[in-house]
Amino acid sequence: MQALAHFLVRRSTAWFTVLIVLMLSAASVFYATRVQRDDDVLAFLPRSNPEVGVFYDVNKRFGSLDIAIVGIGTDDVLAPDFLTRLRALTKRLNETDGIGYAMSLANFEDFTADPTKGGITTDYLVSRIPESDADRAALREKVMSRDLAVGNVVSEDGKAALVYVFAGYGADLKTVAGKVRAATEEAFPNEPKYWGGAPFISTYIYDITQEDMRKLAPWAVLVIVLITIASFRDVIGAGLALLSTALGIVMALGLMGALGVAVNVVLSSLPVILFALGSAYAVHILSRYYVVAQDEDRKSALVRTLVEVGPPVLASGLTTVAGLLSFILMDIAPLRTFGVFTALGILFTLVLSITFVPAVILLARLKGKPPEVSEPSRFHAWLGTLPQRKRVAVGAGVAVLTLVSAFFVGRVDSRMDNAAFFAKDSPPDRAEAFMRDHFGGSLFLQIQVEGDMTDPAVLREIRALGDRIAVLPHVSSVNHVSHAVAQINEAMEGDNRLPDTAAKAKLLYGFLEGKKAVRQLVTDDRRHALMQIKLGTSRASETEPLVEQIKQIAASSVATSYAVVEAKGPRQKDVEARVREGVVLRIRALSRQFGLALPDAAELEKRVAEPATAGDAAPVEAQLTAFLGSEESSVELDGPETARKVAAAIAPLGPKPEEAKLVEAIARALEKPADDALVTDLADTVDKPLEEMWRRSETMSRAKALVAAVKITPPPGPKGERFLTAVAASLMDLDLTSAALPAGAGEGAQKLGVAVTGLPVMHAGLSKSVESNQWASLFLALGLVLLIMAALFRSLWSGLLSLAPIVLTMLVIYGVMGLIDVRLDIGTSMLASLIIGAGVDYAVHLMVAWNAPDGAPLTESATTAARHTGPAIWVNALMVSAGFFVLTLGDARPLQNVGGLTAGAMLAAALATMLVIPLLARKRRYIRAARIPEGARSSEAPEAVLDTSTSPP
């Protein structure tokens, strides 16, 4: 260090140093202005996790899982003016760049049977804006009868609407959110609006963090400056110290700009953190120089300053750098970036403090100044010797504090959810509450299924999986391609059930061609399907167990290798059991969908196995009358009355009447001979429909009996009728003669892949990653700091002693987190490394100043160290704490947590240093190189204290 010091104090070296620093600073300013921002919260996902790969693969395949959800409140969603504006907004969003698809009530697809021509009618649910009260009433009845629409795009009370906006793959989420917000504000300027989903949440988090930093950073810096000036009592010296710190920050930001590193939510706090942590290094140099320069010339004073203060300053700075570099073990890229560039910023300020600051001192010809007497050092001497005077009491207190803190540390929760990013009653929190109350939630989980989506067996497996999940707690709704296919089949044949053959499935898919909404459920090649599961909660304590339960269900209930097995054969009983299981699952899922109590599965399966109930001829007669009067019938009758007479004649004959009896009944109703062409043609026409109508009647009777037997009370009115119809349709599946079973030997096996993904899965993975990162970075930071301290003090035990206050500080801070229920999240996971890197400096300077003559009592070492370092330790702790505390005054949740806890940690570290090291110390000195300035032994001046003590945080 002495050779370096003599080199640095040359005048030519000083001018060269200043010029190089100014040139680098100018270049850094240029590149710092080019730093871009990255507001993608998903960037915090650990890319090494295989689940992240699945998430992005699904994202790419289905367009995007980044869904912006807009909730709009109103008096009546079906009011003509509201519908007109909603239609215009939906159309505008679908024509906007960066948006893959926008869906609302205005473009919700509806598939219905054509009552006159037969077949399927495809149209929007709201095909036209109602013009009269009668039209409006009819539309309300129609919309509220669509169970897939109610609770998804329109609330049950008709006073809220949702617009789902799927971002295009690769689109910038902030840009998408801005376009959606602007279009919605223009269309609905006066209605209450709620912004949910990843694009709005990530934009809010970044914007509020940036706004807080913009507002609070100047105040934090001002507080640090004022405390520095007040404690340093020299404007020029304080200005030089702060200038060198500012240049270090600019260099760090300039390097980011030169390397193309974007600022994210975490990195936005870098300037304040660097200012708080790096401002004291130059103060060390200046403080010692002022004292030494009273009796020596500038060059000699600078050499002596660098030789005496340089090693502890370097050790202090390197411990902070080591603590921050421990972030490189984290598998979250933004945190690694934060650690690297914050460490570089500290390193820059450290290097500037021992190069640029001495150069300016030399060139500016700063003179020394005498210390001023100050009272506080007496208190610090009392505090520093207290652990030795009251060793038992202090030791017991520290032990109790350690045990209590360790107990509460065990209560720290690392679960991650949106609440980790925004505060209660913030706009995203209010949006979640609105969507939970009106639409069952806004958080979606997805399951990707890979297989042949034209295979009815695969479609049934998807439906069974969805039905298993639909009855779980906190699941609001489940939507998948099987629902869409069954809905089209209902429009085609009258029954909401899946087709029996692949040919029929392909035919039904034809009606879905070109439907953007369907592309969110199944790919165009029909090889991948996506199940959308809406969760009624966003709390990690509820979503994480639910995600694990869903994963277990998916793994255990879906065979990755399956075969379609016929009921006639050695596995007949297995097929029949699988079919009954599917029906039971469907009825339980329907009960949950209609808001009814779940029937007992065992009792339901027992009732399902009972024989069919006889049907009622009345509904058959009504359906047959409608059929004979429609264009679907190939035989044209004279009029509605004739159709009614024929239906009344043949309906009582049952589902499969003998041909002679059928012909006779038709002939009697038409008053024609049995061999009349009209009679025979009509008999051939109604034969098959009559069987299907009787089948529906029988299953409806069976459904009513079943519902009564298992004590399900259907809702009143049309909703109850829809429930019974859905139960009856599910009972028709009992006639299935095949099922997908795990492939056995000799059976043609087909593959079926299932993967659970979505933001809840990513949050759960992030929680695990944060926890593992915490331990990895903690041990690396402790190890690096221990090596530096052992090298400085040339003793492993002395190195361990320097870590003791920090270990206690971490226990206390994490214990407080457990006590007040602050989670271990992205922000708070950085605390350990920050505390280790910054707080250990206090121990460095206390131990460097720990000095007493041989044979003197340890209290003299403690008194000397406390007087010379105590004021500076507390001034620095207050300075750093005040800077970080200012960050708690904003609205950004991560800044609040990190700012408040770091502020508390610095004060705790200062107190722990003053108590733990004197308590555990057993030597009279820990470093031979430590020197105390002449006259300082009796001086109480803060400047004298700062000569070896002004502790960089």
Side-chain angles (χ1 to χ4, degrees), residues 629-666:
S630 70
E631 295 182 11
E632 191 175 358
S633 173
S634 59
V635 177
E636 185 175 353
L637 299 178
D638 292 341
E641 183 60 27
T642 303
R644 188 194 64 75
K645 287 182 179 180
V646 173
I650 62 179
L653 298 179
K656 294 182 180 180
E658 295 179 5
E659 183 178 357
K661 291 184 177 180
L662 180 60
V663 170
E664 180 183 352
I666 293 174

Side-chain angles (χ1 to χ4, degrees), residues 113-184:
D114 190 322
T116 57
K117 299 181 180 180
I120 298 176
T121 298
T122 304
D123 201 352
Y124 291 140
L125 182 57
V126 181
S127 57
R128 64 185 183 87
I129 305 300
E131 298 178 354
S132 64
D133 291 342
D135 290 343
R136 193 166 166 179
L139 179 61
R140 183 178 303 280
E141 182 179 357
K142 176 184 177 183
V143 169
M144 294 305 169
S145 69
R146 302 301 191 263
D147 298 306
L148 289 179
V150 176
N152 284 313
V153 293
V154 59
S155 62
E156 192 169 359
D157 61 3
K159 294 185 177 181
L162 276 192
V163 181
Y164 297 88
V165 183
F166 295 85
Y169 180 71
D172 178 69
L173 296 190
K174 182 173 178 59
T175 302
V176 170
K179 291 179 178 180
V180 174
R181 184 185 289 269
T184 306

Side-chain angles (χ1 to χ4, degrees), residues 337-388:
T337 304
F338 169 83
V340 169
F341 283 95
T342 308
L344 287 173
I346 293 294
L347 189 60
F348 292 154
T349 60
L350 178 63
V351 171
L352 289 172
S353 71
I354 60 175
T355 57
F356 177 72
V357 170
V360 174
I361 290 174
L362 183 67
L363 297 176
R365 301 181 179 182
L366 294 185
K367 298 179 180 180
K369 61 179 184 178
E372 299 177 10
V373 177
S374 179
E375 194 65 29
S377 59
R378 292 183 180 178
F379 166 77
H380 296 297
W382 173 86
L383 181 63
T385 58
L386 177 64
Q388 295 175 332

